[in-house]
Amino acid sequence: MAGGSRLRAWGAILGGLMMVLAVLTACAGPYQYYEGTGLHDATAAEVAGGWENVEGTRVVLRKDGTALLEKLDGQDFDFEDGWRVSGTGTWQLADKEGGQVVRLALAVRTRVESRSPATAADTATPEPPSTYAWSFYVDRDQHDKLKLFFCYGDPDIGNTYVMRRETGS
């Protein structure tokens, strides 16, 4: 009888450990541990210029390392707060083992907007930061044109915020 009780106890412990491991591995979504695109051949001159996305965001990366931002959302979980900031800042192209990234830093916030009217009416919406930093991954599309992107929201979903070269740039 004592042997059967021990066996059941060990079975319960092992079952509990398996459940914990299953939960932990289920949270490791596609972008949670994203290392980069593997791109290492972009130049700062190629990255400089105007960038936009379908949501009306516009970013101008000047050759002197300064930047203009219009309606840029937060990345990762900050995106869910619903704020969009405009202002000025700095940028640089960095090369990491996993690929190149554009590090963009908001230095002076000039305007704050909300992504949707429902968010603006929500009094629980956190105050947007007065300074902020983004890391945009650098990649090339099927036509070998640069695109910049970051991941946002729940990493299990794998949402990307894509910036493409501004029309006419």
Side-chain angles (χ1 to χ4, degrees), residues 121-146:
D122 183 6
T123 56
T125 300
E127 173 66 22
S130 56
T131 61
Y132 194 79
W134 294 262
S135 288
F136 286 89
Y137 295 105
V138 181
D139 201 4
R140 293 191 186 278
D141 65 16
Q142 66 272 20
H143 304 291
D144 206 33
K145 293 182 180 180
L146 282 186

Side-chain angles (χ1 to χ4, degrees), residues 85-129:
V85 294
S86 298
T88 58
T90 59
W91 73 278
Q92 66 178 9
L93 179 64
D95 200 346
K96 299 179 0 175
E97 185 177 327
Q100 291 173 299
V101 294
V102 171
R103 301 206 189 283
L104 177 61
L106 174 68
V108 177
R109 186 181 76 189
T110 57
R111 189 172 69 238
V112 173
E113 296 179 33
S114 207
R115 194 176 313 99
S116 70
T119 307
D122 183 6
T123 56
T125 300
E127 173 66 22

Side-chain angles (χ1 to χ4, degrees), residues 44-92:
E46 188 179 16
V47 172
W51 296 88
E52 63 187 357
N53 84 359
V54 296
E55 298 294 322
T57 297
R58 182 171 180 262
V59 174
V60 178
L61 306 175
R62 296 182 179 137
K63 290 181 182 182
D64 66 358
T66 60
L68 289 174
L69 298 71
E70 293 178 16
K71 301 179 183 178
L72 187 54
D73 296 279
Q75 72 180 59
D76 298 324
F77 283 108
D78 292 337
F79 181 85
E80 295 172 1
D81 291 339
W83 50 259
R84 308 183 90 197
V85 294
S86 298
T88 58
T90 59
W91 73 278
Q92 66 178 9

Side-chain angles (χ1 to χ4, degrees), residues 144-165:
D144 206 33
K145 293 182 180 180
L146 282 186
K147 65 179 179 179
L148 308 177
F149 69 94
F150 62 76
C151 303
Y152 69 89
D154 185 338
D156 292 331
I157 297 171
N159 292 321
T160 55
Y161 193 94
V162 180
M163 302 289 291
R164 301 210 182 270
R165 184 64 69 183

